[in-house]
Structures are given as C-alpha cells and as structure tokens.
Amino acid sequence: MKNLTVVGVGHVGLVTGACFADLGNRVVALDTDQDRIAGLQRGELPIYEPGLEELVGRNLEAGRLRFTTSYAESVAEAEFVFIAVGTPGGAEGEADLKHIRQAAESIAQAMIAPLIIVNKSTVPVGTGDWLADIVRSHQRVSIPFSVVSNPEFLREGAAISDFMQPARTVLGSTDPRAAEKVAQLHLPLRAPIMITDLRTAEMIKYASNAFLATKISFINEIANICEALGADVKEVATGMGYDPRITPHFLEAGLGYGGSCFPKDVKALAYMAAEKGRHPQLLQAVMEINDDRRALLVDKTREMLGSLRGKLIGLLGLAFKPNTDDLREAPALEVAQLFSSEGARLRAYDPVAMDRAAELFPEIQMASDPYSLAADCDAIVVCTEWNEFIQLDLQRFHDQMRQPVIIDGRNIYDPKQMARLGFRYAGFGQGYGPDGMPLSEPEPARHEERSL
Ligand code: UDX
C-alpha cells in the first residue's frame, strides 16, 4: 500500500486515482476547481465514464480515496505525485503547458520530503526535463525528487478496463530507481512494464496515437477508392485484419477521428517535427484526410437531396464516439456547422451528449428519441455508432421520414437491407456500385415538394 496524490480530476486523473485506490493504495485526488472537488466529495462525477461512479463511490466509502483542493494537505504525505492535467493544443499544434507549470510550482512549494513526480499528461518530448527545472527552482528548500514519464493509453468509454488491463506500462526517467518504484505500483496489473528514458517515453505516447490515427486515415482513403470501384471497405478491412501484422482494429471507415486526443496529438507531433526542420509529410496527409471526412458527409447528403437549403437534417449521434458524452472535436459538431452554413435546419439525438450539445448549439432542436428525430426529416446522417442505433426498427424509421435518405457516417447499416427497405442510402466505402453510384435505387420523393 502506497500514498499517492493525483493532480487533476479529468478523465485521466479520476480514472487513475480511483483505480490505484481500488488496488489498495491511499489516494488523494486534487484539483483547483472547488466546485468539481465539492461534487466529487458528494460522489458526483464531472465526467461520464462507464463504471467510474461505482468505482469512485466504493473507494470513497472505503476511505482509500479522498478529494481536496489543497496541495499542502495532500503532497506532504505522498510518496508519489501523479500529474494528470490538461495540455490543450494551440492553433499551430503547440501544447499549452500552463496547467503543468502551475502543478509543478505548487508541488515544489508543498513538498516536505523526497518525492517521485510521475507525469501522465501528454506532453511534448523534452517536457520532463523542463518540469524538473521548474520544481528545482520553486522549492523552498532543496529536497530530492525524481521525474518519471508514465503516459496513459486510456480510451474514453473503456478507460477503467484500459487501466486495469493495459497492453503495457511505459515508464521513462533519468533515475532508474524512481522508475523501478513506479513499476512496483503497476505490478498488480500484470502487464509488460517497459523502462526507458524520459524523451523516449514521451515519444511513445505521441507515436502510438499518431499511428492509430494513421490507420484510420488509411482506411478512409481506401473507402474513397472502394466507392469509386464498387468494393466494400468493411469486407476489405476484415480481409486485411486476418494478417497479424495489420489486425482488424482501427480500420473502421467513416467520419474519421475526433476527441480530445488524436486531433491534438497528431497536430502536436507534426508541430514538433516541423520545429526541428523535419517536414511531417505523412502526418500532414493523415490530418488532411481526416479533416475532409466532415465535408464529404455533407457532399453526399447534398448529392442525395439536391439543395440543402431549408431541408431538415437529423443528426443521429453527437458524441465523438459511443459510450461517452464528450463532444471535443466531435465530427457531428463540424457537420452541423457545415449544414447550417448551407441553410439546412437541424435536429439531433444522442443518448448521452445532448445536454452538453444544447449549450454549444442552442439552434439545434434536440429530439427525445431516434424515432422523433426522424419525423419529417429529409435526411438522417449517422455521426456516432451508438449500439442503440444499430437495433432501430428501420421500417418505422423509414415511415417517419419525409424522404427516406440515410447517409451513414459510421457504416452501421447494411446497404442491401437499406435498399430493400426503400431507403436511399450512402455509406463511407460501402453501398456503391461499380459505376461509383450509390446502390440503392433513387426513389421519387413520397411527398409533393412543399414550399418550406
Ligand atoms: C485514444 C487512444 O485510443 C488512447 O489510447 C489514448 O490514450 C487517447 O486517445 P480515445 O480518443 O478515447 O482514445 O478514443 P478511440 O477509441 O481511440 O477513438 C478515437 C477516435 O477515432 C474516435 O473519434 C473514433 O470515432 C475514431 N475511430 C476509431 C475511427 O474513426 N475508426 C476506428 O476504426 C477507430
């Protein structure tokens, strides 16, 4: 059992703190946001993450986890302090490290005994050395400490299982003994533990996310080619995936990647490369392909409907991916802006993210369920592949719509079934014939064209 402090109670910090507590450690989770901490002390979570509310509640109850806003109260008794604060990206891709700086200065002023400072935040390569300089220059008296880089590989919606069953634990430090002590903390996870230097550990995080993003842009480029040649990209991905060097993972074509990590991390890595005069050719292409996906969905819809002006478009899903309420860099939000700019009217449904979306987009009507979303819509565009959308009664869906048009941004439906049901359907890399046109027979509009 060890005493840990975790600084930052966002997705990474809260999951890390709650999981380390569940492993039997005594954890103090710290944040400077008083409201957020007060809510957590009442067991109210600021984020949606399956299983986290129960995990936090259980460990609060057991006295293994507590929340505070005070560095003095928490750092003093800690052997390890984990930094898990946000590192938002700037316009050019450079990382904003102000929260890391604030945490480092506060830790330096609060520490009264030797400390191991473990950085979980995604930071530009070289930040570990910068962090050590800040701590050293802000200590009241010189107290020994070490910095260890321990990048996180947590997917939103699967963060607890990703923490408890990691593919690997990566540690980097100039102090092997400190790295070894952090490794001991991770032994109960029974996963491979890699100890390397600070810069390499920081780079492993960026390279991993950039590679996953590259797989996504690769399959999206293949989807574009499949559409022109009448091949089915889902079948292509399945056939490719049997190769253990490829695997079927992260080969789902569609609207592309969003979220708080991939867009920021790919851009930051490209920025670091360019700053050192190494032109990030492939990373630029990965970003360009991904950016084009949103406009492509609008193009497909316009091709199906003719003009978008005055048409009612239903957005099925808003969150950047299923099992989260996170809207950061969600493709649906950019799609909404593009549709609005062409004069379309918007309605949306999402099982979890609608409240947050309503704050961001008050002009979008929010529907209470998928069927009321579909009522009188000229087209439905699938933006997030929530499971409940896959099980919908599609005949009822069809009958609710003004025009039975579905643009499937996440390829959740079967093109042949959609054609049988009378939908005019377009997927991303599926549902196209050898002539490059959508398979479904265009059906004359079932209502006379009312002036809108
Ligand atoms: C990612 C990494 O997976 C995780 O290891 C890292 O720590 C944080 O960033 P996350 O952003 O939560 O996790 O979600 P992830 O499941 O990786 O999906 C990222 C984006 O890619 C989502 O927008 C998702 O819709 C998209 N995606 C994913 C695809 O478009 N196609 C795929 O095949 C997989």
Side-chain angles (χ1 to χ4, degrees), residues 46-251:
I47 54 169
Y48 174 88
E49 181 63 44
L52 190 56
E53 188 165 2
E54 195 274 328
L55 190 71
V56 167
R58 188 166 75 237
N59 285 282
L60 261 177
E61 191 67 34
R64 287 190 296 265
L65 176 63
R66 64 185 175 84
F67 297 98
T68 182
T69 56
S70 158
Y71 277 92
E73 179 203 326
S74 53
V75 170
E77 60 193 38
E79 188 178 347
F80 302 88
V81 177
F82 283 77
I83 297 178
V85 295
T87 53
E92 297 305 313
E94 73 286 7
D96 179 347
L97 299 178
K98 67 173 179 294
H99 300 308
I100 298 264
R101 170 182 289 278
Q102 284 159 3
E105 289 174 2
S106 304
I107 290 165
Q109 286 155 6
M111 61 194 284
I112 58 171
L115 203 52
I116 295 177
I117 299 171
V118 187
N119 180 45
K120 288 204 89 59
S121 296
T122 303
V123 291
V125 175
T127 300
D129 299 324
W130 171 82
L131 178 60
D133 291 344
I134 291 177
V135 173
R136 206 168 292 118
S137 60
H138 284 77
Q139 285 182 323
R140 300 185 202 285
V141 292
S142 174
I143 304 172
F145 69 94
S146 303
V147 173
V148 177
S149 165
N150 172 214
E152 53 87 11
F153 300 101
L154 308 179
R155 291 165 299 162
E156 290 190 30
I160 293 173
S161 57
D162 283 350
F163 185 98
M164 290 300 198
Q165 291 98 35
R168 76 301 204 184
T169 293
V170 172
L171 302 171
S173 184
T174 53
D175 177 353
R177 282 168 306 128
E180 195 48 52
K181 285 183 177 174
V182 180
Q184 295 292 324
L185 271 183
H186 289 83
L187 286 180
L189 305 177
R190 294 186 176 77
I193 297 177
M194 174 186 180
I195 295 181
T196 182
D197 62 84
L198 265 173
R199 287 173 173 262
T200 302
E202 291 162 345
M203 185 60 173
I204 288 169
K205 169 67 181 176
Y206 278 107
S208 298
N209 271 7
F211 179 72
L212 293 169
T214 301
K215 278 192 91 171
I216 294 166
S217 283
F218 173 81
I219 200 66
N220 279 327
E221 177 137 301
I222 295 299
N224 290 345
I225 302 168
C226 283
E227 286 179 10
L229 299 175
D232 181 311
V233 72
K234 284 171 87 168
E235 298 287 289
V236 167
T238 301
M240 290 169 64
Y242 288 110
D243 185 329
R245 295 169 301 173
I246 299 174
T247 85
H249 305 298
F250 280 73
L251 286 179

Side-chain angles (χ1 to χ4, degrees), residues 377-418:
C377 273
D378 293 292
I380 292 279
V381 295
V382 180
C383 296
T384 314
E385 64 278 26
W386 285 96
N387 281 336
E388 69 174 77
F389 300 162
I390 300 166
Q391 319 298 337
L392 287 180
D393 171 354
L394 291 171
Q395 188 57 59
R396 180 180 166 199
F397 213 58
H398 175 287
D399 298 344
Q400 298 273 105
M401 295 177 73
R402 184 167 179 278
Q403 296 190 62
V405 172
I406 288 196
I407 311 298
D408 191 352
R410 293 295 180 186
N411 286 340
I412 62 174
Y413 296 123
D414 169 11
K416 294 186 177 64
Q417 183 198 10
M418 302 310 275

Side-chain angles (χ1 to χ4, degrees), residues 218-448:
F218 173 81
I219 200 66
N220 279 327
E221 177 137 301
I222 295 299
N224 290 345
I225 302 168
C226 283
E227 286 179 10
L229 299 175
D232 181 311
V233 72
K234 284 171 87 168
E235 298 287 289
V236 167
T238 301
M240 290 169 64
Y242 288 110
D243 185 329
R245 295 169 301 173
I246 299 174
T247 85
H249 305 298
F250 280 73
L251 286 179
E252 291 156 34
L255 267 172
Y257 60 80
S260 62
C261 296
F262 283 4
K264 170 177 72 76
D265 294 352
V266 177
K267 207 169 175 184
L269 184 55
Y271 178 85
M272 282 183 253
E275 261 216 320
K276 295 292 182 187
R278 303 301 173 99
H279 177 49
Q281 217 169 334
L282 177 61
L283 297 177
Q284 292 288 16
V286 168
M287 291 187 282
E288 283 162 21
I289 291 168
N290 194 62
D291 290 346
D292 289 348
R293 309 307 285 170
R294 287 79 158 137
L296 182 58
L297 180 134
V298 176
D299 292 347
K300 288 170 183 281
T301 311
R302 192 186 313 102
E303 279 154 27
M304 283 281 194
L305 295 182
S307 159
L308 293 172
R309 184 157 301 285
K311 295 296 191 314
L312 179 58
I313 309 289
L315 303 178
L316 197 53
L318 291 171
F320 85 92
K321 63 178 229 180
N323 303 315
T324 181
D325 64 348
D326 199 340
L327 291 167
R328 287 175 289 183
E329 300 280 327
L333 300 186
E334 189 176 335
V335 160
Q337 281 169 332
L338 292 171
F339 275 126
S340 293
S341 68
E342 293 197 31
R345 294 175 294 130
L346 295 171
R347 188 186 291 157
Y349 171 75
D350 186 285
V352 174
M354 277 194 297
D355 292 348
R356 286 184 189 240
E359 291 162 25
L360 289 171
F361 284 82
E363 73 278 10
I364 297 181
Q365 296 170 34
M366 295 298 167
S368 56
D369 65 83
Y371 300 105
S372 50
L373 170 79
D376 281 339
C377 273
D378 293 292
I380 292 279
V381 295
V382 180
C383 296
T384 314
E385 64 278 26
W386 285 96
N387 281 336
E388 69 174 77
F389 300 162
I390 300 166
Q391 319 298 337
L392 287 180
D393 171 354
L394 291 171
Q395 188 57 59
R396 180 180 166 199
F397 213 58
H398 175 287
D399 298 344
Q400 298 273 105
M401 295 177 73
R402 184 167 179 278
Q403 296 190 62
V405 172
I406 288 196
I407 311 298
D408 191 352
R410 293 295 180 186
N411 286 340
I412 62 174
Y413 296 123
D414 169 11
K416 294 186 177 64
Q417 183 198 10
M418 302 310 275
R420 281 196 300 275
L421 286 166
F423 283 101
R424 293 166 61 205
Y425 173 89
F428 277 62
Q430 64 164 18
Y432 285 78
D435 58 355
M437 296 304 288
L439 275 174
S440 52
E441 282 306 310
E443 186 185 70
R446 291 183 303 109
H447 303 264
E448 70 290 349

